[in-house]
Each structure stands twice: as structure tokens, then as C-alpha cells.
Amino acid sequence: MAPRYAFCLLVVLFSSGWMRGSSTSTTPDVRCSPSGQVAHISAPPPELLAQDLEHFGALPVGHFVGLTSKEAAVKEEAVGESSAEWEGRPKLSLRDSNNDVEGEENEVDSTEDGTIWTRRRKRRDAETWSDLGSEGAQEASEQEGVQLASSTFALAGDTAHNQAMVHWSGQNSSVILMLTKYYDFSAGRVTESSLWRSTDYGSTYEKLNEKVGPKTILSYLYVSPNNKRKIMLLTDPEVESSLLISLDEGASYQKHSLAFDILSLLFHPEQEDWILAYSHDQKLYVSVEFGRRWQLVHDGVVPNRFYWSRLGLDKEQGMIHLEISVSDGRSQYITCKLQNCSEGSKGKPFPGFIIPNSLVVQDEYVFIQVPIGGQSVHYVSYRRHAFYPVKLPKYTLPKDLQIISTDDNQVVAAIQDWHQNDSYNLYMSESRGLFFTLMLDDVVSSGGPEGNIMIDLYEVAGIKGVFLSNKVVENQVKTYITYNKGRDWRLLRAPLTDLQGKKVDCEQPYCSLHLHLHVSENPYTSGNIVSKDTAPGVIIASGVVGPELTTTNVSIFITSDAGNTWKEVFQEEYSVFFLNQGGSLVAIRHTPLPIRHIWLSFDEGRNWDKFSFTSSPLYVDGVLGEPGEDTLIMTIFGHFSHRSEWQLVKIDFRSIFQRRCTSDDYVTWQLHNEGEVCIMGMKRIFQKLRVNARCVKARDQYISQMSDSCPCTEADFECDYGFERQADGSCTPAFWFVPSATSRDCINGDSFLNSTGYRKALSNNCTDGSLLKYSPKRQKCPSQVPRGLQLLTSEGTLVATLHKNVTFLVFLEEGLSSTTSITVDFGDGTAISYVNISSIEDGIRHVYGKVGIYQVSAIASNILGFDRVTLYLHVTCQLEQVQLSAPSVVVKNKAVNFTTTLRPSNVGTVAYYWWIDNKTEPTMSLDGGMSFTFSEEGSHMVTVQASVGNTVHQDQMTLAVYDYFKSQMLAFSSNLDEANPGLPEWREDIGQVVKRSVIQVTGISEDQLLVTVLPGLPTTAEIFIVPDRRARGGTMKGKRAHAEQLSQVLLSALNQDLVQFTLKAGVQVNVYATRLSPAPLVDGSDSSHSGTAVIMLVSVALVALAVFAVYKFKRKIPGLNTYTTEQPDKEQEVVPTVTSIADTKPDGDKLASVDCVDVQLDSKSKVYIDAKGTCRLFKVSPPGVGREKCADLSVYVAARDADAEKTYLLSTWLSLRSEPRSATVSLG
């Protein structure tokens, strides 16, 4: 697998303590990785993971040597400083102050220069550890240790800085760049920075702040992985958005402004000037000039889901694989050319939509997830060919799938099954990444620092096929090892003796060695494991001996024969690094206390010698080694005190090596597994340095390896897909699997490999022997009935949009492609046939011209039979609005019908959801109507939602429920229609205007009137007279009579054209009762009248006479509707919302009866009351009669001209606090 570049820079968090345990060069978010490379557990982030709180630079991760942890605070008395001296720097925790491997007691002497550490030595078992046999450990030496060649440089002025990024250019270069900065955690940004450069391997440094700009604040440092001389620095975007570019290892810089803020960078694996930049607003930019100019590639790109193309697999070198967000819950996989990502140039390798954050492009494979039937189906493309569903064991129902590795043309995946929570199963595929078989079950998992999944799987560097993994067995975590890439696993043997030479009583399977394989948030803290390509067979890790893995009493263990035998080397926390291309080892104690010594081993950890690297004890923050494989120079970062400047201690190990290594300094070592030398079909022999050979390894001497193939045996084969290994080692079909005579190869080819139940591991190199016995046999594809036909839409849904392309995907599990035809019937009278299935790999597109539900079917057929599959597709158009209609006022205990109107009216299948008042559970229906009966008076809220596809619209209305009410339909003069915009708000405003006009003319209480203007043209309305809610006393009959009397007053005003309002200046609108308003006269262009006009005039006169007769004899008005609970057969009108208003009359008011008297009078007559309390009409006020006394009678006069005679209809009622009585009205 081509290594993905991770952050290459040593990142030192100076607010932290020292390293814990052995160190490794893996990145923080990788747990199952070959040493020095970045493997992928979940879908790997494509940016360079330049992660300093978010992102750092871009060099091979193997260049890291050490990094501090973020451990907690040390006790003040342990370091002898006052609490005031700790200000500005977090306290460090002292894990075990009594376990000082160097056996020193700490004392602090104060001088004018500050705190000086002195140490009083205690006796220790050994200062130099040798092989521990029956003789035990040697007596400890009292020497201070050999002084190493070192130099110290202080970074003056950077005392407050708490982070650093360090880059060592590489082989044949003495340049080191160091970016220090102060990160304000409360503000979440960098507020100060300094850039330092060394040209003498770290002996001295030059401050470059003036070169980059004294006020420039730098936040990140990037290095081109293809040319280490090219450096890129990013400024803090809070201050300015720009980058500085250096082409000479940081000696000079050019500043370039940016129009966007860079979140991460992805360098091209081959072209040193090609860079992808991802911005905070999810836009992807590209530069082919190493950042000098940028061009937008695409917006809406999913974070970490963009990849460079790979030469030999993709059509073009300058191609980019992208996952873009289409909508909530949907993404799309596209490809773009380097500098042209227009709609016409985009590629769509998968025609449908995919689940967000699922695209992984890694080596020969592309992985996606597709939503089908409410489930996530994983698809894979091998070598950029068509996508096929991943085939897992039948009842493996993954909750999560993480890609671990694609090495050796084979996929290793971690799958969390439906019943698992804190563990995963490991699966391995064949070359196409299509068929997976179980590799190891119940592997320990945990959450990573970036929210990713961490799997306890570690690939040993330098030896193919060797893995270590932690597995849950009966609620205990145990460490297992495999030498044949997961076919067989076994427990680790515990050391024969402990560090003191005592025999270890540990019998498998009850006791064994267990190692910490996890990678913590800081990759250089406790629990890491390390191995190196240049030191085959050497593994260093922290762990315990016992029945299970624990976090207490952890020791450091080492093996030099690839895990067959182990040795305990430290009983405390140490970090161990490789030196001299793996020929030597360096150990540094992990402690929050200052140290002066390091330990070296020249015999693969059997013996350790003590060396001093500084005269003054140093709080160690991190370690950086020389890039490449030489690693004879190290730089240790730290502080002499928690208030001092940073100290960079350069250690040159060249002085302890006397000469260059020759062939006589090497011995051979053969890889074996408990004596078995044929591993993965080979006998492998490696060259190693002799014990205690203090010579410098040449670069071409460290990887010498000889191999010889072995005859194939059953052990070289794993079980094929659908087969399971039994206790005797044989592979038999699983209960759910029926071995078939064909395979997927017969879909596109004429022959296939008929499995025997076994398959040879791809990296196994055995020959002859039992190879033919277990290998699959190639056979000609037989003619077979098509089986396993699948039909789905590219979007994974059963909804399509009218007049837009819908893409159908057709898959066939079994059936010879060359003889099997495919016919797709779209259900709208259109069908299409294909002679073979290979021609429809990109999908079948179709456009529907009408909404509806279509039965779409596909038939695969040949001479032996056919297979058929059907789906029902809902074709819809976009719903824009739903409008709810119902009576505004309804009668209690009587069913009311609700209806809806959609715009547009024909949108396809619609689901309706109804809520009455505050009910939480809706009532569902497939039509736009519903009936409901209200049992309580008052206001009630009705809500309806209409759902079409992914679109949901809602409407609401409020209904008033009464025991009885009266209503009248209203019409308006035609000039109102010209101003009707069809808006609900406009209708509400017009209703309020009409209501005020009616109140002004009739005097009816506001609380007893409701007006609803109906939608549509011509403009109409309905006015309601409802009971007075505040009225107390009186009979129901009297209340209804009162409502009848009010309706007569209302109708009188309407029929006499007294209700009108001004719409705007010069526009007067009249309101009519629709069933009583006469038809307008026709005004001809000449003086003569047509026969039709005469008939109309006669009709008007007859109608007027009929109206007069109705009033004269007090008959019920035909146009006035009365609604009561005693009228169960009365049908209600459908009108929009009107809110009822309560009466404002005080409690106890009584209603009075009313007399309507028709009289002939002059228009100048007025109403007076005489001394007897009788209302009389006078043209002038008679003496002794007070007009104000008639105010209590609430007399209303309505006038209407008829012919030349003025006729007045006088309607009166009493509102006195007395029993109902009649008013006598006479003409004075």
C-alpha cells in the first residue's frame, strides 16, 4: 500500500510531562499500522493530518522519535518549587515518585541563578543490566555513566510558548526548522510565534521572525513529501490569511495572500508542487505551483473525503476523487480533472447517491456505502471497475465497517456485528475485495482522539504476515500473535524469568504475556509498541504477565526473534527508540522529574549501559531523531526549570561507534514460529549485527534477506467464502451456504474458479506439494437459470421527480452474461431490452412525464429460465402549498368535514397527518379529507401536514364551536376583485374591515360577530352571529330568538346597502347579502331598452314586492341560515378560519324582545319619548319632551328609497334592566 503521508513534524506540547513507555513512530489515530507507515482503520483522512490541535505538516511519520504526553500535574514537594513558580505552566503528575530507576534522592538548592538540582544516590540492584540467569543481576555500579557528546542551545524569549513544531529536512542535510508558539486555549488560537532555523544539526539556531515579518503570527508548518527543501508556513487566520513559501529549506520566504482559510492540505504523492487545500467552508482548492496560486475545485466537499488519483489505476494523473454533499443524508461520489471540474467534465463512477462520509479511495480499491431499503450496503470497486456489493458471511449484519489495510492486494476490514459493542471482528478478502472471511473475532476497540475507531491490531514491521492483536475471551483481554496473516493465532509466551532473575510461573492458557497495543491520544505515551523495518524480529512493548491485560504493574518487554521469546527489560515506564538503523536501542525514562541520563543497548536489549547527556537535570518534553535510517544524532527538548527557556540538547552518538560495519559484524537469523520455519510458504533468513558490535551500519546493509519456498500444505490455505474451519482444521460449508457451480466470474466471463473450500493467502509463496489439492479448479461457466436479480434506483429510494432523470441499477448474482438478456419495463408503457448485463453497468436512465405510482420490473432470461424483480416507484412533483378548508364556526356534537387543497393539485401520492388541538399523535390518511366531531364549545386548533417524497408542508386553522349560530353569505362590489391578491393576510384584513362596518351600522356587539373572507374569485365572505358567551340567565329559546332578531337587523342593513367601506382613496366597496341582492340593471348604449332589460326590471320589482311581503308577515328570510344542535340534518358550509369574540356585556343583563314596525314617515322625522314612556316620531322636538331619554331604547332606523316614496323600516329592541316588553312607536 502506498503510504499516506502524516504529519512529519515533531510536535512538542510543553505544557505536558515526559513520555510513558516505549515509543513508536505511528500516528495518533492509528492502532493497527506497520511501524513507520500510516495504516487506515476507518476511512482515512486524506489531508496530511498535520495535527497540532487540528493539523500539522507532511513528512513520513517514521521521522518522529519522541513526543511528550499531556499528563497531569506533579506534586509541588516533589520538585521543590513554590506554587508561585508553577504559574503559567500546568503542573505535572508524579506517577510514582518512589520508583526512581536511577535510585536517586532529589534535593533542591537555591542559588541566585535559580533552582539547581543535586542528587543523593541510593543503592540499586543494577545500573547496567546484563543477561539475567541463575546467577542473578550483577552488582550496581556507582559510576555516573559515560558522558555523551552533546551541546545545548536555549531559545531565548520563548519562555511563554507552550507548543513547538520541529522539522529535520532529511538525509544529507543539517537543517532543522522549529516553530514555537503560544496557543491560548481560552481564545482557541495562536497569539505568539517564533521561527528558528539550524544549519549545524541543532548545535545553534537563528531566529527568523524578521524574515517572515515581525508581526506575523505563524500557526502551522508544512513540508513537501517529495522535496524536503520546500517549506510552507501558514499564518493565523484570525490576524491574516496568508502563507509563506520557502524553496531553500527555510532560508528565505515569499509571502502570498489567501482568499480562504486553510483547514488542511493534501500533497500529491509524486508531483511536489501539486497541493489540495480544504477550507473551513467545505470548499476544495488546488494549486500546481506549490501554493502560489489557487483555483477552486468544488464546494460542498465532505471533510477528509478527497483523494489524489493514482497513476496506472486512474485515467489521468491529475484527477481528484471527491465526495460532495448533495442534501441532508445524501452524498455523491464524483471525479474531477485537476483544473476543470465543470458539470460537463465531472465523472460519476457510481451513478447513484451514497451515504455521507463513506467514500474511501485506497490503492486499488474504492469503497462506498449505499442506502437500500433502509439499510446501508457496502460496495467496492476493484481497480476502478464497476461497483459490486461486498459479500460478508450471510448473518454478519454490520453496524460499522472500518477499512484496516489494503496491503498485498488484499483488504483487511474490521466489522462490528449487530451484537457487539466494544469489540470488532476482523475479516480478510480475496484480491478483488469482494468476498470476506473471518480472520479473528472479538478484537478490542475503543474511541480514538479524532473520533475514529481504534482497533487493537498491530502489524510487526520488517516481517510480512506477523500481527499482534488483543482479543476478548470470556470477559478477559488477551494478546495473540499470528505469523500467517491471521490464519492461525496463539498466545504469547511469558518470559522465563523476571528482571531480578526469578523464575516466572506462567502456564498457558491460564497465564501468558499480554501487551498494550493501543495508541493513546499522544502517540508517545504509555502503551505504545514499536518495531522497525531495519531491525527485523525486534519488538518492544509495554505489558503484563498474567491471566489478562491490565494497566497496573506494567513493565517493558522486548523480543529479538519476532515474538517467540520475550524478556523483561524495565519495570517502569520507559520510551525506547531505534538507533543506527536498528542496530542499537536508546531508552529514556518517562518521568515528570528532571533527568540527566539515557540508556543504550548494543545487543537487542540484553544489556543496557548508562550514559549522561547533560550536566544539569532536564525536564524532557520531547525527542527528535535524524530522518532516514542513520539516526546517529538526536535532539532532546526540555527545560531546566518550569520558568526557564526551552533547551535544545543535541546528542551526537557517532563518538561511541568506532568504525563502519563489515560483513564479519553480521550473523544470520531465521524466522520461525515455535520451531516451524516454513511461514507463509517461505523460509526466511535475515542478517543482524553481532552482539555488542559497535559499528555504524551502512545504508545498504540493513535489509539483507534470503528466502526459499516451501512445499504447500493445508496450513498455507485459509477457508474460502462460505466455508468455516472446524476443530480438525478442515474447511466445510457454513449452514447458510450452498456451494454453487458458478461464481460472479460467470457474469462477465466464460469460465470461473470452482472453489474447493480453501483459498491460498495472497502473500503466501508455497509451491507444489498440496497446491493442486486445495486450489480451485477452473471450469467453463455452465448455462444456468439467472438468479439473484436486483433492481434499485441510484438514489436508493422509491421516489422520483417528475420530468427528471431516474437511474435504475440492475445486478445479477448468477447467470452467464453472454447468454442472459435483461428487459426493464418502466411501467409507463415503455420497456427496453439488453442482450447482456455488462452493457448496463452505469445504470439505465428514464424520464417520467406524469405523476403516479409505477410498477417497474426487470427480467433476466436465457434458454433455461428467468428471474424477475419488481419495485413500485412513486413519481411526484414538488409540492408548493397545502391549504386547509373547514367551517370557521361549527355546531357542537355535529360532525364537521375538513378538506385540503394542494398546489399544484396533482403531485402524486400524498400522505396527510392531522392533529386536533394539542394531541401529540397524529391521525394519518391518504386522502385530503377528514371528519371530526367536537364535543366541547370553544376555540379548537386543527393542523394538517401533507407529505410528498421529501417535501412536507403544513397549514393550520382555528374553529369556533357553539350550540347554535346564524350565518349569512356576503358578496362585494366587483371593484374589490381587482385588488384581491389571494393572500390569507389580505382576507383577514378585509374581514376585519367588514366587521367594523357592520358593527357601526347595526350596533351588534363585536363579540357576537365573526367574518370570514373566502379564498378565490369573485370575492365572497360569510358572516356569523354567535351566542353571547357572557350572557347569564334567560332561556335557550329566548337566546335563539335574540339571535334571530340580530340576524334580521343585519339583513336589513345589508339589503339597504348600508354596509360599505373605503378600500383606498376613491374606491368604495359595497357589501351585499348574496341571496337577496338584486341583479344590476343593464345600461344600454341607446335610449330604448331591450326585451331582456324589461324582463330584468319586472323581475326586480317582483323580488322587491316579495321581500316586502316577507317582512310584513314576519316570515323567515330564505338567505339567512340558522345552525343549532337540534338540526342534525343541516349541512354545513366549508369556510376558512374565523375566531369568535366574547360579548362585553356585564353579567346579569337580560335580553328584551323586539318589535319590527313598518311605517311611512318623512326623512326629517326623529324619535322622541313622551311623558308616558312612549316612543314617538316628530319632525321637531315637542315641548317638554327630552330626546336623551330615548337613548336607552336603542332605536335604529334604516331607510331605503323605493320609487319616489321614502319607506322606512324601523327596528327596535329594549336593553333595559327589566322584563322584556314591547315599545310602542307612533308618528307624531
Side-chain angles (χ1 to χ4, degrees), residues 1021-1074:
E1022 187 170 7
I1023 186 168
F1024 300 89
I1025 300 175
V1026 300
D1028 183 4
R1029 291 184 180 274
R1030 295 192 174 186
R1032 297 292 185 268
T1035 63
M1036 182 62 68
K1037 183 177 180 180
K1039 294 180 180 180
R1040 292 180 178 174
H1042 175 59
E1044 181 70 26
Q1045 293 161 0
L1046 293 181
S1047 66
Q1048 293 178 8
V1049 173
L1050 171 64
L1051 193 59
S1052 298
L1054 291 172
N1055 287 334
Q1056 297 179 70
D1057 295 342
L1058 298 180
V1059 181
Q1060 55 184 231
F1061 61 92
T1062 302
L1063 184 66
K1064 59 182 178 179
V1067 179
Q1068 194 77 11
V1069 178
N1070 294 328
V1071 184
Y1072 310 102
T1074 57

Side-chain angles (χ1 to χ4, degrees), residues 483-488 673 676 678-681 711-719 725 729 758-761 764 766 770 774:
Y483 291 85
N484 52 13
K485 204 171 183 180
R487 183 195 184 277
D488 302 292
N673 176 13
E676 176 57 53
C678 281
I679 298 176
M680 300 291 288
C712 292
T713 65
E714 189 270 341
D716 294 306
F717 293 84
E718 58 194 19
C719 290
R725 190 171 300 281
Y758 299 84
R759 71 183 185 194
K760 191 176 75 167
N764 191 293
C766 72
S770 302
Y774 295 106

Side-chain angles (χ1 to χ4, degrees), residues 342 662 848:
S342 61
T662 65
Y848 287 90

